[in-house]
């Protein structure tokens, strides 16, 4: 005998097109010169939203990587084993070109096209993006060493995934990871103690082989075919390309001590390693390791912004889907005024993050333009601080829309919530990013002046945006000893001003006004769902724009 009837439970969201149901993303792709990639993104959006791919993502996170240090006979092998779903996801990423698209097809809009694809994939499965991001960021650094890069070009650019554990020369495609962080330093890589000794005293410097000894506390994706590492020579920290296998077919002595038991990003392996005279090829000038990897950091930080904006988008879509199906107190959640206020506020936050992400990606397409350079150098760390930080609260709020059903691991919200902190921590936590913004403003004074002028022009005739611009200028006049303490406040003002400008330019007028009004200085420390009464009439349009998928 049935004891209860199953009712008022929300069906799983599946078999939908992530790209076609995101008007702000589609408009932005066309506006930021990547319209030529729209058909590919539409196909990718349909594939990623399919029930089959969503199941792959769930499997990759349920069956986490396992470390096997030795084989049956006691030989050291240092292998991380993955569920087959992991390799299928990496194959999907590779086919979409998310590991190298702007380097394979350079041109205006190439970084935007790649960012949009990354944004779609990050909504479905984030762990597989870690080796993809690092490979992408390593390519422009490796291009500085033409002889080395010529050996790596074909497997780096290949559009198929090759998960076999073999020397690079025997593989169809390769992935490149990173190993920068050590126990004693964390973000302070200048304190790294690992050492590199030249194999031949007559052949030192760029492109020369070295033997590396030391440890890495966070060694990302240890099954990558090579890693970029920092180690210390007689002339200071230098950057090295360290392959997993030696040219003679033997294993490079990179010993995996254990895998990190992480809060989120669980489909991806992160490890602690020791390397005992491991072969490394110097990339860039000796003693200039940190400047060499800055180029990598710019790209990986952009991907942190894209990834966090994607988590926000997926959390929003799940919240809207739930609210349009779930009833409470006699009405659908989406029909209740307070819930509509919360959902509309979340929708505005997500659209502003998407606009900023696309604008920032387009700046990477124009390295010689002074204003684009200011966006790349100043706004990248600022956006990483703000968007990644906002994703934490955002995913929690969306989980709350689901209530108790959102707090269990059988639904999508728990994984999104656990995934949110990593981008805020990886590649420099909040304080590191804000201090980097201050340094960039000082070093790129002319570029920051152009950025302020762009804001000034956008703020003409709009009082709330003008308040943000005025507040920024006031902070710049603070005594030097106060600037560091105010760094987070300064970055918050900067990003909100830029988001407000982009919303005024590209979002519907009612959405832009609601965004700026909801984030005015008087509402500092606000929570989602505090939009004023004046926005009530606009909320239906905001929600339909955010998720036009039929209920």
């Amino acid at each position: 005998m049935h004891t209860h009837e199953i009712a008022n439970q929300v069906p799983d969201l599946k078999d939908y097109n992530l790209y076609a149901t995101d008007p702000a993303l589609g408009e932005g792709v066309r506006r930021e010169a990547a319209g030529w990639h729209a058909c590919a993104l539409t196909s990718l959006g349909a594939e990623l939203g399919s029930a089959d791919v969503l199941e792959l993502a769930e499997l990759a996170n349920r069956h986490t990587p396992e470390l096997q240090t030795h084989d049956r006979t006691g030989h050291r092998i240092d292998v991380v084993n993955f569920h087959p779903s992991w390799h299928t996801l990496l194959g999907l990423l590779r086919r979409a070109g998310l590991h190298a698209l702007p380097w394979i097809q350079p041109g205006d809009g190439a970084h935007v096209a790649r960012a949009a694809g990354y944004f779609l994939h990050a909504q479905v499965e984030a762990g597989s993006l870690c080796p993809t991001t690092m490979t992408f960021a390593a390519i422009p650094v490796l291009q500085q060493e033409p002889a080395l890069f010529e050996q790596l070009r074909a497997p780096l650019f290949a559009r198929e995934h090759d998960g076999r554990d073999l020397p690079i020369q025997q593989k169809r495609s390769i992935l490149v990871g990173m190993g920068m962080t050590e126990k004693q330093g964390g973000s302070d890589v200048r304190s790294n103690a690992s050492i590199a000794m030249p194999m031949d005293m007559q052949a030192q410097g760029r492109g020369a082989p070295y033997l590396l000894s030391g440890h890495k506390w966070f060694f990302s994706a240890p099954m990558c075919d090579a890693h970029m590492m920092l180690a210390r020579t007689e002339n200071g920290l230098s950057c090295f390309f360290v392959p997993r296998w030696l040219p003679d077919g033997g294993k490079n002595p990179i010993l995996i001590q254990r895998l990190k038991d992480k809060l989120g990003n669980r489909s991806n392996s992160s490890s602690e390693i020791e390397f005992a005279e491991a072969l490394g090829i110097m990339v860039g000038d000796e003693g200039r390791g940190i400047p060499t990897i800055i180029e990598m950091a710019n790209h990986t930080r952009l991907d942190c912004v894209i990834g966090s904006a994607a988590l926000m988008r997926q959390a929003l879509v799940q919240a809207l889907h739930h609210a349009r199906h779930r009833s409470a107190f006699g009405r659908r959640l989406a029909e209740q005024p307070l819930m509509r206020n919360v959902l509309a506020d979340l929708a505005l936050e997500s659209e502003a993050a998407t606009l900023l992400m696309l604008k920032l990606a387009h700046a990477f397409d124009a390295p010689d333009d002074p204003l684009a350079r200011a966006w790349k150098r100043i706004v990248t760390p600022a956006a990483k601080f703000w968007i990644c930080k906002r994703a934490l609260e955002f995913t929690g709020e969306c989980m709350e829309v689901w209530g108790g059903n959102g707090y269990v691991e059988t639904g999508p919200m728990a994984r999104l919530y656990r995934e949110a902190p990593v981008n805020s921590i990886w590649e420099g936590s909040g304080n590191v990013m804000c201090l980097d913004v201050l340094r960039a403003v000082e070093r790129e004074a002319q570029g920051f002046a152009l950025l302020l002028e762009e804001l000034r022009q956008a703020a003409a005739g709009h009082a709330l945006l003008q308040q943000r611009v005025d507040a920024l200028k006031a902070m710049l006049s603070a005594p030097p000893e106060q600037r560091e303490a105010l760094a987070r406040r300064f970055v918050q003002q900067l990003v909100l001003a830029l988001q407000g400008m982009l919303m005024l330019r590209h979002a519907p007028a009612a959405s832009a006004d609601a965004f700026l009004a909801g984030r005015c200085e008087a509402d500092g420390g606000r929570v989602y769902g505090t939009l004023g009464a004046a926005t009530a009439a606009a909320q239906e349009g905001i929600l339909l724009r955010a998720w036009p998928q039929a209920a």
Side-chain angles (χ1 to χ4, degrees):
M1 177 179 178
H2 291 294
T3 58
H4 69 282
E5 177 185 356
I6 297 175
N8 199 26
Q9 290 291 320
V10 177
D12 290 338
L13 176 59
K14 59 185 178 181
D15 293 325
Y16 74 106
N17 191 312
L18 278 70
Y19 183 73
T21 54
D22 191 344
L25 178 63
E27 293 167 9
V29 164
R30 294 188 293 272
R31 181 178 62 250
E32 304 292 353
W36 52 269
H37 202 53
C39 288
L41 290 169
T42 301
S43 297
L44 181 62
E47 184 175 12
L48 288 169
S50 69
D52 289 344
V53 172
L54 295 175
E55 175 67 11
L56 289 173
E58 198 277 329
L59 287 170
N61 283 272
R62 187 197 315 161
H63 303 284
T64 55
E66 296 181 353
L67 173 62
Q68 183 181 358
T69 57
H70 296 78
D71 68 9
R72 180 185 62 82
T73 60
H75 293 96
R76 186 95 194 200
I77 57 175
D78 294 286
V79 167
V80 180
N81 295 307
F82 293 87
H83 188 270
S85 57
W86 168 262
H87 293 289
T88 305
L89 289 166
L90 284 176
L92 195 159
L93 280 161
R94 202 88 191 197
R95 291 196 305 275
L98 302 186
H99 66 295
L101 184 62
W103 321 128
I104 299 172
Q105 297 174 247
D108 194 21
H111 280 279
V112 178
R114 188 256 178 186
Y118 192 102
F119 179 80
L120 295 175
H121 189 99
Q123 293 179 50
V124 174
E125 209 292 302
S128 51
L129 288 168
C130 180
T132 305
T133 281
M134 294 184 295
T135 302
F136 175 72
I139 290 175
V141 177
L142 291 169
Q143 286 174 329
Q144 298 177 27
E145 301 298 333
L148 175 62
F149 184 72
E150 194 55 38
Q151 302 173 37
L152 304 174
R153 178 195 300 271
L156 277 173
F157 285 1
R159 290 291 191 106
E160 63 176 318
H161 170 61
D162 186 345
R164 297 175 300 164
D165 187 20
L166 294 171
I168 288 173
Q169 296 84 349
Q170 300 177 35
K171 296 197 65 174
R172 296 185 296 271
S173 67
I174 60 173
L175 292 167
V176 179
M178 294 169 62
M180 305 297 176
T181 306
E182 298 186 2
K183 295 183 182 74
Q184 72 284 350
S187 295
D188 182 13
V189 295
R190 294 183 186 277
S191 66
N192 280 12
S194 298
I195 61 171
M197 300 295 294
M199 291 183 66
D200 182 349
M201 298 303 294
Q202 305 304 313
Q204 300 185 45
R206 305 183 66 133
Y210 284 71
L211 296 177
L212 280 63
S213 299
H215 73 276
K216 296 297 173 183
W217 187 238
F218 276 97
F219 192 73
S220 298
M223 287 305 291
C224 285
D225 301 282
H227 285 75
M228 305 298 292
M229 294 191 204
L230 288 177
R232 192 173 298 279
T233 68
E234 289 184 353
N235 293 311
L237 280 176
S238 303
C239 184
F240 295 89
F241 174 83
V242 184
R244 178 165 164 76
W245 290 80
L246 297 169
D248 65 5
K251 275 288 183 68
N252 212 3
I254 303 167
L255 310 179
I256 304 175
Q257 302 301 319
R258 61 175 174 173
L259 299 185
K260 297 289 192 180
D261 187 7
K262 298 174 294 184
L263 168 69
N265 204 249
R266 296 187 64 84
S267 67
N268 175 51
S269 59
S270 300
S271 63
E272 299 168 23
I273 64 102
E274 299 284 341
F275 44 105
E277 297 192 339
L279 172 69
I281 307 300
M282 185 177 288
V283 176
D285 292 330
E286 185 175 3
R288 299 284 294 168
I290 292 178
T292 299
I293 64 168
I294 286 295
E295 181 69 19
M296 288 186 71
N298 282 333
H299 290 293
T300 52
R301 288 172 180 178
L302 172 61
D303 279 3
C304 288
V305 175
I306 302 168
S308 289
L311 288 174
M312 293 164 72
R313 171 65 188 174
Q314 179 59 201
L316 171 66
V317 167
Q318 292 287 353
L320 287 169
H321 175 73
H322 183 88
R324 289 174 180 172
H325 287 80
R326 180 80 167 177
S327 296
F329 309 111
R331 283 188 294 176
R332 295 282 177 92
L333 293 177
E335 298 170 353
Q336 301 185 24
L338 184 53
M339 180 61 79
R340 291 173 67 82
N341 194 312
V342 172
L343 294 171
D345 207 358
L346 291 166
L348 294 172
E349 185 85 13
S350 177
E351 179 160 358
T354 300
L355 296 182
L356 183 63
M357 172 268 291
L358 292 170
K359 174 69 174 176
L360 193 54
H362 200 189
F364 280 69
D365 285 320
D368 297 327
D369 179 83
L371 181 56
R373 175 181 168 82
W375 274 86
K376 179 179 177 180
R377 183 63 190 91
I378 299 170
V379 182
T380 298
K384 182 190 178 302
F385 166 74
W386 184 250
I387 302 300
C388 298
K389 192 73 68 180
R390 294 297 283 167
L392 286 157
E393 181 183 354
F394 192 102
T395 52
E397 192 72 63
C398 291
M399 178 187 286
E400 191 171 327
V401 172
W402 275 55
N405 286 335
Y407 198 66
V408 295
E409 294 287 352
T410 49
M413 306 309 291
R415 175 151 60 92
L416 293 173
Y417 184 70
R418 286 187 285 102
E419 199 68 51
V422 67
N423 287 328
S424 192
I425 296 170
W426 188 53
E427 290 294 37
S429 56
N431 286 356
V432 173
M433 289 300 97
C434 292
L435 295 175
D436 192 35
V437 172
L438 292 187
R439 285 191 295 269
V441 167
E442 292 179 1
R443 294 172 181 173
E444 305 280 346
Q446 183 178 2
F448 187 63
L450 292 173
L451 206 58
L452 283 178
E453 177 59 20
E454 186 178 25
L455 282 170
R456 186 195 66 79
Q457 293 180 16
H462 202 289
L464 290 176
L465 183 55
Q466 187 62 56
Q467 288 177 14
R468 292 278 179 204
V469 178
D470 291 343
L472 275 174
K473 292 179 178 178
M475 288 184 199
L476 289 172
S477 63
E481 62 272 15
Q482 293 182 11
R483 290 177 189 168
E484 181 173 330
L486 295 174
R488 285 190 174 215
R489 187 170 182 82
F490 175 80
V491 172
Q492 174 181 276
Q493 290 283 9
L494 175 62
V495 177
L496 285 173
L498 292 169
Q499 286 185 314
M501 176 185 74
L502 294 172
M503 290 289 283
L504 284 172
R505 285 178 177 174
H506 308 306
S511 295
D513 289 340
F515 177 83
L516 283 160
R519 286 142 185 84
C520 65
E521 186 67 17
D523 283 336
R526 55 182 298 281
V527 296
Y528 291 110
T530 57
L531 296 175
T535 69
Q539 288 176 11
E540 179 64 22
I542 292 170
L543 294 175
L544 286 175
R545 174 176 173 79
W547 179 238
Q549 179 89 336

